[in-house]
Amino acid sequence: MSDHTGLAIRFLTSMAQALATMSLYAEGHPARARAAGGSFDTLRDLQGADPRPSFSFLGSEVIYGQQAIRGLTDWEWATKLANVGVQRLEFADMVEREAYVSFLEDVLARVSAFTAVAAANAAAAPMGRGNGPTAIRFGAVGVRGSSEVRLPDAAVQAAEQTSVLDLNAEVDAIRWVHDEVNDREEIPLLEAESIVRSLSVAMHGDSQMLLPLLQLKEFDQYTTTHALNVSVLSMGLAEFIGLSPKEVRAYGVAGMLHDLGKVRVPKDILTKPGKLTPEEWSLMRSHTVEGARLILQSDQKLDVAALVAFEHHIMINGGGYPDRHFRCDCHKASTLVHVCDVYDALRTKRPYRDAWEPAATLAYIERGVGTEFDADVAKAFIAMMEKWEPRLAFASLSPAAA
Ligand SMILES: [Fe+2]
Ligand SMILES: [Fe+2]
């Protein structure tokens, strides 16, 4: 795909030119049709080489397929498109000229109507699928900003003003990542990393670190809110014990993907209120092996995340699952995610029990030191939570995401 980067850049540049030209002329003016037609030709060329191109616009970054396009850094349209809710653009099939022109008009309308309020609404909107023949899919993946971008962005500003964080965009983005894994058996890695960067920005948005945790409103949010909370807690703990920023982000990705294998466990088992049968239990336990397999087949660079997916239910005394044929120590990231995972799971209301109180949850972790949990990691977690618990920000979810 990288061979086609030149064509992709030509297409994006022509799309921006077309949008700029179209904004200058009234509807029906021949200059509009000319600009759109010129851009359509570059899309044709690109699709001739890469029939299903996809783009993500994240902060000022543009990602084409699986790689960041360097030639377009600081391309102002990445931000403009992301601001109006077009953070993801996919061409599923050969696009017809008419469909492309109406796509351009749709984007143009969004850009012209753009205000802070419109942006917030657009970002919360679910990803749209072009109807039938348009074959163009675009919408929000909800990732904003990167570590290089000077923020505060809208979410951080809102948090500072009201002390309530809005993590709807991140929740939408994680749900999208799960859907992608389900549909394509492939993790959109760059987007996953961007979600983690965005969470890290949310954590640090309030001059001192705080942990934004989502509270569950409805049961089927469990998978996404849990992924987000474990990611945030893992980054907080990694930072608390003095790991480097690079490791902190890697642990954040691992925390986010730890239960990825659950996309393969039937929903009625995941949400079953009663006791699981032995067969159901063995399917449930398979999320560890399955998650590691999904992660490794997507990207070999995610080896820490794959290990964590495999090891996060293994206890320090060797108990837990999956079954292993020999004893070996778990990776530090796994012992760390394990504690964060148990904390978030116990603090969340489940169909068969109420949510645990913070003190009772920390006491449970303390009791598990040396049997279930690594002593150093568990003690650090308890110290971190005792320090930060009063500052935990329980983020709100809008009705759209609930
Ligand atoms: Fe798990
Ligand atoms: Fe989990």
Side-chain angles (χ1 to χ4, degrees), residues 76-153:
E76 58 169 350
W77 276 89
T79 316
K80 275 193 194 173
L81 291 168
N83 280 345
V84 297
V86 184
Q87 289 155 325
R88 180 80 186 161
L89 174 58
E90 297 172 1
F91 298 94
D93 230 326
M94 291 312 279
V95 174
E96 297 301 322
R97 181 185 294 260
E98 256 169 59
Y100 183 64
V101 172
S102 76
F103 158 75
L104 287 178
E105 274 162 3
D106 189 349
V107 173
L108 188 63
R110 285 169 174 240
V111 174
S112 328
F114 176 70
T115 63
V117 174
N121 291 339
M127 177 179 268
R129 286 173 195 261
N131 341 330
T134 69
I136 305 175
R137 208 177 149 212
F138 65 95
V141 303
V143 268
R144 353 163 233 249
S146 74
S147 52
E148 288 79 36
V149 179
R150 266 183 302 112
L151 292 164
D153 64 15

Side-chain angles (χ1 to χ4, degrees), residues 226 258-260 262 284 287-288 308-309 312-313 321 341:
H226 178 62
H258 78 281
D259 272 339
L260 192 73
K262 287 192 179 169
M284 184 67 124
H287 81 271
T288 48
V308 168
H312 71 277
H313 287 284
Y321 61 87
D341 182 28

Side-chain angles (χ1 to χ4, degrees), residues 115-184:
T115 63
V117 174
N121 291 339
M127 177 179 268
R129 286 173 195 261
N131 341 330
T134 69
I136 305 175
R137 208 177 149 212
F138 65 95
V141 303
V143 268
R144 353 163 233 249
S146 74
S147 52
E148 288 79 36
V149 179
R150 266 183 302 112
L151 292 164
D153 64 15
V156 175
Q157 278 170 350
E160 282 169 351
Q161 282 156 14
T162 64
S163 301
V164 176
L165 284 169
D166 171 5
L167 296 175
N168 287 303
E170 286 77 5
V171 167
D172 285 343
I174 291 179
R175 191 174 296 135
W176 177 79
V177 166
H178 288 159
D179 290 347
E180 287 292 297
V181 172
N182 237 345
D183 293 351
R184 303 185 188 187

